[in-house]
């Protein structure tokens, strides 16, 4: 009888070790899946785009839709094809920057910015992520040739849904209490 108990314990021990090994192998795969899902959601949002982009000569400006209580905390740019970080800036110093009007590669307008200068050649697809002080943010992928070709008028920005003004972008959000961003 002790032989049967010992065999059951060995079997249980093998089962527990197998489950632990499976959990160790499954955890990185699950984390990788969640990270890819997060990037996909941030880069390819469902619903209307909450970011607009305009190009004026060498100046690129992003307009991020936001509610009056929100403030921009960070903007990140990635090469849309290689997913390589192209530029990152934290804590806009201007009121317009904190309010979602973000001049890219303007190091003097942010607490930190790296690299400080724009690359000689921009990627064809620019993946833009904007984080707010509150939970959340906005993201979008822009075909720079399409933005240049659209040539939005002053105060307007190219979006995947067409040309929109900054006010029109802000009105896409439900800020609660009927208030919209200025």
């Amino acid at each position: 009888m002790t032989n049967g108990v010992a065999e059951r314990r060995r079997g249980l021990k093998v089962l527990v070790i197998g489950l632990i090994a499976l959990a160790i192998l499954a955890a990185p795969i699950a984390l990788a899946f969640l990270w890819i899902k997060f990037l996909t959601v941030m880069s390819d949002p469902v619903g209307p785009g909450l970011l607009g982009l305009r190009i004026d000569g060498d100046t690129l400006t992003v307009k991020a839709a936001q509610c009056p209580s929100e403030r921009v905390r960070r903007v990140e740019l990635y090469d849309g094809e290689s997913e390589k970080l192209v530029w990152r800036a934290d804590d806009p110093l201007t009121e317009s920057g904190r309010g979602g009007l973000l001049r890219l590669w303007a190091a003097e307008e942010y607490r930190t910015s790296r690299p400080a200068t724009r690359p000689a050649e921009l990627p064809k697809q620019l993946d833009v992520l904007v984080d707010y002080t509150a939970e959340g943010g906005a993201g979008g992928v822009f075909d720079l040739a399409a933005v240049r070709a659209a040539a939005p008028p002053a105060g307007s920005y190219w979006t995947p849904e067409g040309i929109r003004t900054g006010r029109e972008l802000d009105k896409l959000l439900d800020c609660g209490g009927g208030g919209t961003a200025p």
Side-chain angles (χ1 to χ4, degrees), residues 33 56 71 128 133 150 166:
F33 172 78
D56 298 298
R71 291 293 176 245
V128 180
T133 50

Side-chain angles (χ1 to χ4, degrees), residues 13-31:
K13 187 176 181 180
V14 168
L15 177 65
V16 169
I17 290 172
L19 289 174
I20 290 171
L22 182 63
I24 289 170
L25 293 174
I29 293 169
L31 287 174

Side-chain angles (χ1 to χ4, degrees), residues 76-121:
E76 294 177 334
L77 307 177
Y78 293 87
D79 181 321
E81 294 173 350
S82 72
E83 297 184 18
K84 177 184 172 199
L85 181 65
V86 177
W87 183 72
R88 174 182 171 170
D90 293 297
D91 301 322
L93 299 173
T94 65
E95 188 56 35
S96 62
R98 287 186 294 272
L101 191 56
L102 306 161
R103 212 162 50 105
L104 308 180
W105 287 286
E108 69 280 3
E109 295 183 14
Y110 299 88
R111 187 177 53 77
T112 62
S113 168
R114 58 188 178 274
T117 58
R118 188 177 110 167
E121 188 174 325

Side-chain angles (χ1 to χ4, degrees), residues 7-177:
E7 280 187 37
R8 276 186 270 168
R9 283 188 181 172
R10 264 189 302 243
L12 185 58
K13 187 176 181 180
V14 168
L15 177 65
V16 169
I17 290 172
L19 289 174
I20 290 171
L22 182 63
I24 289 170
L25 293 174
I29 293 169
L31 287 174
F33 172 78
L34 291 173
W35 179 247
I36 290 168
K37 188 69 174 164
F38 169 77
L39 288 178
T40 302
V41 168
M42 287 299 290
S43 298
D44 199 13
V46 175
L50 299 177
L51 295 180
L53 178 69
R54 66 176 295 109
I55 301 173
D56 298 298
D58 288 340
T59 303
L60 280 76
T61 306
V62 167
K63 170 56 180 136
Q66 66 186 60
C67 294
S69 62
E70 294 177 322
R71 291 293 176 245
V72 171
R73 183 176 63 91
R74 173 180 300 138
V75 59
E76 294 177 334
L77 307 177
Y78 293 87
D79 181 321
E81 294 173 350
S82 72
E83 297 184 18
K84 177 184 172 199
L85 181 65
V86 177
W87 183 72
R88 174 182 171 170
D90 293 297
D91 301 322
L93 299 173
T94 65
E95 188 56 35
S96 62
R98 287 186 294 272
L101 191 56
L102 306 161
R103 212 162 50 105
L104 308 180
W105 287 286
E108 69 280 3
E109 295 183 14
Y110 299 88
R111 187 177 53 77
T112 62
S113 168
R114 58 188 178 274
T117 58
R118 188 177 110 167
E121 188 174 325
L122 293 174
K124 293 177 183 176
Q125 301 283 323
L126 193 61
D127 191 348
V128 180
L129 300 174
V130 177
D131 288 332
Y132 301 112
T133 50
E135 297 264 336
V141 179
F142 297 92
D143 179 320
L144 296 184
V147 177
R148 280 189 182 95
S156 297
Y157 305 87
W158 185 93
T159 74
E161 294 82 23
I163 304 295
R164 291 199 168 137
T165 67
R167 187 173 297 281
E168 288 171 333
L169 282 165
D170 288 337
K171 286 183 178 180
L172 293 173
L173 298 173
D174 178 10
C175 295

